[in-house]
Amino acid sequence: QVWQIRLDMHLLNHDGNITDAASIAGIVALCHFRRPDVSVQGEEVTVYTPEERDPVPLSIHHMPICVSFAFFHQGTYLLVDPTEREERVMDGLLVIAMNKHHEICTIQSSGVVMLLQDQILRCSKITAVKVAEITELIQKALENDQKARKEGGKFGFAESIPNQRITAFRMESAAVDTNDVEEQAGEIIAKAEPPSEVFASPVLHTPGTAQIGEGIESSWGDLEESEKEEAAEEEGESEVAAFECEKVQTEDTSTLRETKSDVPIVLSDSEEEEVVILEPQELPRKTR
């Protein structure tokens, strides 16, 4: 028997980068959740109520946090945590999920931009910094919640409902002034420093494929160190076996020769029962 946990998310407001917000909300909900305590005696399973025993947390070993990057001008400029308006005009999106141990859990790329290796490495370094900050905020929030509950007070969602904090940031639709958008965009682009890397043009070998750069030497078919050692051992064993077999054949041939030298050989060349006795040294090579 196992526990089945279902996590539902309801979006109250979306102003961009919903992937990061959903990942943070989901992992915090799982860390905050407590399941009923259980005891097993033989085949009998007992599930205790919260009044009988305190619920226990889930076994969560790490917190994968998503960080999104929006790319503009074919990857020349990147932006962390894009808003809804920025997502409308971006060329591509890169989402990296990582934990505080700098372990990458997943990478997702979408859009029409082709990223270079240096760009992905740069985004991974930024992700490591952001994930460490977010994880620290999550742990502090969970500690404050646990402390407030031990003191008998209300914290988190239970406290937000009466005070209407969840809907306090709700805003009505309003017209946006876009007269000076081009000037502001020009100022931002002028202040930003483009990467020094030169973008290589893609090479189309066949329809449906593409390549950027020369790449590295293919390592397909190369044996690992352990496989090389096993292959060397097998080759050594085969050489020893071949040497032993050759030695046995040589000994058998020597024994046969010694046996033949002691016994004269009788040849019959005609139907008249004419018998010719030859010594071993007189025997023709072809006949022997």
Side-chain angles (χ1 to χ4, degrees):
Q1 296 185 3
V2 297
W3 288 105
Q4 181 180 2
I5 301 175
R6 175 177 173 178
L7 178 62
D8 295 328
M9 294 188 183
H10 301 275
L11 305 181
L12 302 178
N13 184 21
H14 174 32
D15 191 28
N17 197 10
I18 194 61
T19 302
D20 295 8
S23 69
I24 295 174
I27 193 63
V28 173
L30 294 175
C31 293
H32 185 265
F33 176 72
R34 298 292 186 271
R35 65 167 179 83
D37 195 6
V38 178
S39 64
V40 181
Q41 295 181 355
E43 297 182 354
E44 182 180 357
V45 179
T46 304
V47 180
Y48 298 96
T49 61
E51 291 76 14
E52 294 175 341
R53 288 190 182 180
D54 293 335
V56 295
L58 301 177
S59 299
I60 298 179
H61 302 289
H62 67 108
M63 297 183 185
I65 304 297
C66 293
V67 179
S68 298
F69 300 88
F71 291 91
F72 303 89
H73 289 259
Q74 293 298 320
T76 306
Y77 307 99
L78 67 87
L79 181 67
V80 185
D81 191 8
T83 62
E84 191 267 341
R85 293 176 60 190
E86 292 166 344
E87 288 180 348
R88 291 184 180 183
V89 297
M90 66 183 181
D91 295 332
L93 182 68
L94 177 66
V95 181
I96 301 178
M98 183 184 296
N99 56 22
K100 66 178 183 180
H101 305 295
H102 297 181
E103 296 174 345
I104 296 179
C105 303
T106 182
I107 295 180
Q108 180 184 8
S109 178
S110 59
V112 296
V113 62
M114 292 181 294
L115 302 178
L116 299 177
Q117 180 181 0
D118 294 341
Q119 293 174 307
I120 298 177
L121 292 176
R122 180 186 177 189
C123 293
S124 64
K125 294 179 181 179
I126 298 175
T127 302
V129 177
K130 300 295 293 183
V131 167
E133 297 175 355
I134 296 173
T135 303
E136 185 178 357
L137 293 175
I138 291 175
Q139 292 175 347
K140 288 183 178 179
L142 293 173
E143 292 175 359
N144 294 336
D145 177 84
Q146 186 177 6
K147 181 180 179 181
R149 291 178 184 275
K150 287 184 177 180
E151 296 176 353
K154 293 183 179 181
F155 192 83
F157 189 74
E159 184 185 10
S160 300
I161 293 179
N163 299 332
Q164 297 183 354
R165 291 187 179 179
I166 296 179
T167 58
F169 297 102
R170 182 175 179 272
M171 298 178 61
E172 298 293 339
S173 300
V176 179
D177 185 10
T178 59
N179 294 328
D180 57 346
V181 171
E182 295 183 358
E183 296 179 1
Q184 294 180 1
E187 293 177 359
I188 295 175
I189 294 175
K191 294 179 181 179
E193 296 181 359
S196 58
E197 294 291 338
V198 178
F199 294 93
S201 58
V203 180
L204 301 179
H205 297 283
T206 58
T209 63
Q211 174 183 335
I212 297 180
E214 299 179 355
I216 58 177
E217 184 179 357
S218 176
S219 60
W220 285 64
D222 293 346
L223 297 177
E224 299 291 340
E225 294 297 332
S226 58
E227 296 178 352
K228 290 182 180 180
E229 295 178 358
E230 293 178 359
E233 293 178 358
E234 293 178 357
E235 184 178 358
E237 292 177 358
S238 61
E239 291 179 357
V240 173
F243 177 76
E244 293 291 341
C245 181
E246 183 179 357
K247 182 178 180 182
V248 171
Q249 291 178 356
T250 304
E251 293 178 354
D252 293 343
T253 305
S254 302
T255 305
L256 181 61
R257 289 178 178 177
E258 292 176 359
T259 305
K260 288 182 178 180
S261 61
D262 297 338
V263 180
I265 298 177
V266 180
L267 300 176
S268 177
D269 296 334
S270 64
E271 298 179 356
E272 299 178 357
E273 298 295 333
E274 181 180 357
V275 178
V276 181
I277 300 177
L278 300 177
E279 294 298 331
Q281 61 272 16
E282 299 177 357
L283 189 66
R285 186 179 188 85
K286 185 176 181 182
T287 306
R288 179 183 298 181

